[in-house]
């Protein structure tokens, strides 16, 4: 059996190594148009910032190592120019010598990856305008920062790579501006969760230009400013484009392979393309969203690695179905950590899927143990059975641990009631007897069981127009220091003696600092026959949304 692998990095290298472990006799040839076959592209921003000091640390595998350990014929600086399914051949160009030749195959594993989106605007090809896709890209950025020592930089795009580059440049002492066309950073976050990130980044000195589009990069011989669509000019000494990526599909189109609705290469559940002898993996393919079933592009390393391994199994006769991706991701911005898994509210609304959500602010470990800063955890679930649909967490410590628990639960098809029963590791330095995941699940269960009806801050303005009474159950001292506009203060410990101040026939909405005391208040009020809702997130979320001008 002869297998040709087009592209290395995550999917291609994983497929190659797994193929060899399964079949010692197979002839495996890997073509890579660059110099490196397997590198940690997720680590590139950290190399630029100096957190990863050695460039060699990014090189996961070398051609020599792949040959000696796995007996794989690795041909770098070799670009596959075409795939010819009828002849079962690929046409390859040696980029060093210029020679072009053909190579036969029994199977092709197509992992061309994705290319950075480069906007069609003036000045985008100026020498100090950079993208970050591979090791040479990061060499150019790092070399420019180290030698030129720019005082300012503009990062265009606020996804994972854009935020990591903003962090890296900020760590190098550069004044950073982030330009993002959407009204928030990090699209997988819902708006109120992104507001927490906005507040933090601004406090760190990073300038955010949201709902802003780059119209031109201006300068004589080099980028000196970026002009936005509204006419604003941002002076800068370098530009990094982190707008996003689009799947590389030129080879697939040339070979006559079907593309999906997203523009990615269409594959079946076994990761076969429309040609049964050509498989595809990684950033270039269209996958099924595990939660919603929608067509999606998920350009992440973990799915690509898993897909490469599964393709090797399928080629070797071990039928393995790929059940989709749920988009689990995490990013660090200085000390702040943002993590997501599954579907967010925006996607669920777009697909007309019924859901409920809750927001809590738990500590990462026991509150009596020194240290620890509250995280904000949003859990999304179905309103009937409580099946977990997604989660978002923004915080400092323990974010990764909790998002992984919820990601596992989603993959297992668990409900919030199952999350309540999880027995997670507990000791005061690491968690509480009720872990944040358990706590979120209890809050969700209360909503499903009808013990409490939740409402979001983003919906309060509309309810106030309908006459809702907003009241705050924090102490008088708390309210004096941090008031909620338009709220009547009835401290929780006085509530039973002041129930007559709660109108009988008017909807009331309760808030406190994080939502726990207001939950207790709603239980008291509901059992006295009055219509009350608990505002998710409490004052802690209110002040963030207020600062972001969302309420």
């Amino acid at each position: 059996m002869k297998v040709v692998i087009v592209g290395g990095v995550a999917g291609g290298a994983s497929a190659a190594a797994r193929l060899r472990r399964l079949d010692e006799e197979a002839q495996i040839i890997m073509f890579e148009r660059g110099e490196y076959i397997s590198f940690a592209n997720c680590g590139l921003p950290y190399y630029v910032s100096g957190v990863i000091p050695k460039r060699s640390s990014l090189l996961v595998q070398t051609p020599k190592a792949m040959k000696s350990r796995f007996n794989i014929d690795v041909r770098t600086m070799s670009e596959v120019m075409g795939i010819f399914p009828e002849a079962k051949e690929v046409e390859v160009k040696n980029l060093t010598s210029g020679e072009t030749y053909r190579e036969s195959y029994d199977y092709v594993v197509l992992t061309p990856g994705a290319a950075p989106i480069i906007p069609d605007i003036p000045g985008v090809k100026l020498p100090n305008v950079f993208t970050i896709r591979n090791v040479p890209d990061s060499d150019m950025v790092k070399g420019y920062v180290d030698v030129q020592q720019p005082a300012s930089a503009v990062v265009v795009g606020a996804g994972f790579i854009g935020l990591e580059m903003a962090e890296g440049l900020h760590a190098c002492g550069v004044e950073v501006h982030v330009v993002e066309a959407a009204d928030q950073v990090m699209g997988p976050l819902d708006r109120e969760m992104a507001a927490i990130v906005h507040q933090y980044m601004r406090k760190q000195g990073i300038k955010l230009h949201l709902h802003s589009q780059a119209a031109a990069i201006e300068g004589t011989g080099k980028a000196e400013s970026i002009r936005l669509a509204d006419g604003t000019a941002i002076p800068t000494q370098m530009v990094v484009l982190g707008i996003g990526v689009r799947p590389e599909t030129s080879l697939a189109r040339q070979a006559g392979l079907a593309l999906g609705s997203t523009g990615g290469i269409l594959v079946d559940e076994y990761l076969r393309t429309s040609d049964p002898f050509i498989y595809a993996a990684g950033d270039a393919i269209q996958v099924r969203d595990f939660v919603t079933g929608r067509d999606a592009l998920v350009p992440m390393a973990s799915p690509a690695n898993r897909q490469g391994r599964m393709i090797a199994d399928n080629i070797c006769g071990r039928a393995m179905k790929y059940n989709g991706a749920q988009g689990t991701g995490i990013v660090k911005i200085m000390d702040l950590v943002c993590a997501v898994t599954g579907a967010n509210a925006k996607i669920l609304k777009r697909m007309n899927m019924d859901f409920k959500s809750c927001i809590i602010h738990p500590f990462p470990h026991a509150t009596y143990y020194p240290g620890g800063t509250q995280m904000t955890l949003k859990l999304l679930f179905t309103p009937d059975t409580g099946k977990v649909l997604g989660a978002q967490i923004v915080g400092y410590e323990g974010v990764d641990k909790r998002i992984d628990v919820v990601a596992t639960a989603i993959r297992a098809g668990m409900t919030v009631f199952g999350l309540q029963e999880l027995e997670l590791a507990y000791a005061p330095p690491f968690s509480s007897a009720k872990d944040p995941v358990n706590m979120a699940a209890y809050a969700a269960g209360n909503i499903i069981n009808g013990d409490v009806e939740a409402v979001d801050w983003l919906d309060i303005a509309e309810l106030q127009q309908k006459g809702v009474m907003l009241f705050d159950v924090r102490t008088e001292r708390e309210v004096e220091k941090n008031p909620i506009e338009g709220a009547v203060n009835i401290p929780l410990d006085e509530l039973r003696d002041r129930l007559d101040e709660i109108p009988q026939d008017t909807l009331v909405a309760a808030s406190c600092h994080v939502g726990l005391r207001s939950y207790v208040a709603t239980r008291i009020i509901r059992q006295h026959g009055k219509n009350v809702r608990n505002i998710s997130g409490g004052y802690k979320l209110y002040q963030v949304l207020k600062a972001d001008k969302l309420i």
Side-chain angles (χ1 to χ4, degrees):
M1 179 173 63
K2 184 176 180 180
V3 181
V4 164
I5 299 174
V6 182
V9 195
S14 295
R18 178 65 171 170
L19 276 167
R20 178 56 71 222
R21 291 195 296 271
L22 295 178
D23 189 341
E24 183 64 22
E25 302 302 320
Q27 183 181 359
I28 306 169
I29 305 174
M30 180 187 293
F31 294 107
E32 171 56 51
R33 63 187 169 193
E35 185 180 350
Y36 307 99
I37 57 160
S38 185
F39 58 88
N41 52 2
C42 296
L44 297 178
Y46 303 106
Y47 168 59
V48 171
S49 68
V51 171
I52 298 174
K54 293 183 178 180
R55 181 178 183 274
S56 59
S57 300
L58 298 173
L59 306 179
V60 180
Q61 281 285 2
T62 64
K64 183 178 179 182
M66 289 289 278
K67 178 64 177 178
S68 60
R69 177 163 296 182
F70 296 108
N71 191 26
I72 292 170
D73 181 0
V74 178
R75 303 179 193 178
T76 57
M77 303 303 292
S78 297
E79 183 172 6
V80 174
M81 308 300 292
I83 303 173
F84 302 92
E86 291 185 7
K88 296 187 81 172
E89 292 179 341
V90 296
E91 185 173 88
V92 185
K93 182 177 182 180
N94 185 316
L95 299 179
T96 303
S97 67
E99 173 196 4
T100 299
Y101 62 95
R102 288 205 176 193
E103 193 75 50
S104 64
Y105 67 81
D106 292 311
Y107 293 98
V108 167
V109 180
L110 190 55
T111 61
I117 295 173
I118 299 175
D120 184 18
I121 59 175
V124 77
K125 294 184 179 179
L126 288 169
N128 56 339
V129 178
F130 305 95
T131 58
I132 293 287
R133 184 194 185 193
N134 51 37
V135 175
D137 287 346
S138 63
D139 285 339
M140 291 176 66
V141 176
K142 184 170 178 59
Y144 186 85
V145 171
D146 290 348
V147 174
Q148 300 297 326
Q149 298 185 342
S152 62
V154 173
V155 176
V156 183
F160 286 96
I161 292 295
L163 293 179
E164 288 170 348
M165 283 306 304
E167 178 203 29
L169 292 168
H170 181 271
C172 293
V174 179
E175 180 184 87
V176 178
H177 294 254
V178 176
V179 173
E180 170 56 50
D183 61 358
Q184 66 169 82
V185 303
M186 200 172 169
L189 289 176
D190 283 323
R191 191 62 180 85
E192 71 272 26
M193 300 295 285
I196 303 170
V197 185
H198 298 166
Q199 184 182 60
Y200 176 81
M201 293 180 72
R202 288 172 178 138
K203 283 183 177 179
Q204 300 305 309
I206 294 177
K207 312 294 193 301
L208 294 180
H209 305 266
L210 303 175
H211 219 280
S212 300
Q213 199 145 0
I217 302 173
E218 300 174 334
T220 305
K222 62 179 181 179
E224 296 171 347
S225 69
I226 277 194
R227 187 164 299 279
L228 305 181
D230 65 0
T232 302
I234 306 172
T236 186
Q237 294 175 0
M238 69 179 293
V239 176
V240 178
L241 301 176
I243 299 171
V245 295
R246 59 167 57 94
E248 286 267 27
T249 58
S250 56
L251 273 177
R253 284 186 277 107
Q254 172 274 322
L257 304 180
L259 302 182
S261 60
T262 62
I265 301 171
L266 190 65
V267 294
D268 66 11
E269 58 190 351
Y270 296 99
L271 299 167
R272 289 179 302 217
T273 68
S274 53
D275 184 304
F277 299 101
I278 302 176
Y279 290 77
D283 298 356
I285 70 170
Q286 175 177 293
V287 298
R288 182 181 68 85
D289 185 286
F290 183 80
V291 174
T292 66
R294 69 190 178 104
D295 296 335
L297 297 171
V298 183
M300 292 181 170
S302 295
N305 270 286
R306 188 163 65 254
Q307 292 157 10
R309 177 188 172 93
M310 294 176 75
I311 285 173
D313 280 8
N314 288 326
I315 288 174
C316 292
R318 300 186 177 193
M320 296 288 288
K321 291 183 179 180
Y322 184 68
N323 294 317
Q326 62 197 70
T328 304
I330 190 166
V331 65
K332 183 179 79 69
I333 311 161
M334 281 76 87
D335 295 324
L336 190 71
V337 181
C338 313
V340 297
T341 189
N344 59 30
K346 291 176 290 188
I347 290 172
L348 294 171
K349 288 176 181 177
R350 196 180 308 145
M351 297 194 66
N352 295 316
M353 293 179 65
D354 288 337
F355 73 97
K356 295 284 187 182
S357 66
C358 62
I359 296 175
I360 64 170
H361 304 286
F363 279 85
H365 54 66
T367 54
Y368 57 80
Y369 188 85
T373 304
Q374 285 171 291
M375 65 182 76
T376 300
L377 192 164
K378 180 175 184 179
L379 188 67
L380 301 101
F381 48 92
T382 60
D384 47 4
T385 65
K387 184 177 180 180
V388 182
L389 300 175
Q392 301 157 41
I393 311 177
V394 178
Y396 299 88
E397 302 172 52
V399 170
D400 54 342
K401 170 182 175 179
R402 275 72 192 206
I403 204 70
D404 283 344
V405 171
V406 181
T408 304
I410 290 174
R411 187 61 60 161
M414 292 176 65
T415 68
V416 299
F417 301 105
L419 285 184
Q420 292 176 4
E421 296 180 8
L422 289 181
E423 187 175 325
L424 302 171
Y426 161 62
F430 305 104
S431 185
S432 301
K434 285 187 289 191
D435 187 84
V437 173
N438 300 131
M439 293 168 64
Y442 285 127
N446 288 337
I447 293 171
I448 295 170
N449 290 332
D451 295 331
V452 65
E453 190 170 352
V455 62
D456 294 331
W457 276 116
L458 298 177
D459 297 324
I460 287 295
E462 182 180 346
L463 290 175
Q464 284 180 310
Q465 291 176 358
K466 298 177 180 178
V468 69
M469 172 189 170
L470 186 63
F471 78 104
D472 189 337
V473 301
R474 293 177 295 162
T475 64
E476 290 182 7
R477 180 175 294 182
E478 286 178 281
V479 171
E480 286 175 6
K481 188 176 180 181
N482 296 302
I484 293 174
E485 187 177 339
V488 176
N489 179 218
I490 306 177
L492 176 61
D493 294 342
E494 301 175 14
L495 180 59
R496 287 185 177 86
D497 297 327
R498 298 175 60 180
L499 278 172
D500 58 346
E501 296 179 38
I502 305 295
Q504 186 71 40
D505 300 319
T506 301
L507 173 64
V508 293
S511 180
C512 62
H513 185 64
V514 298
L516 178 57
R517 282 174 289 175
S518 56
Y519 161 65
V520 175
T522 60
R523 290 301 302 148
I524 295 170
I525 295 168
R526 280 174 67 93
Q527 292 179 77
H528 283 80
K530 300 182 181 184
N531 188 6
V532 62
R533 296 181 187 177
N534 187 26
I535 305 176
S536 284
Y539 176 81
K540 189 173 177 65
L541 187 59
Y542 169 86
Q543 55 91 18
V544 173
L545 297 176
K546 195 78 173 173
D548 221 31
K549 300 179 180 178
L550 291 177
I551 56 175

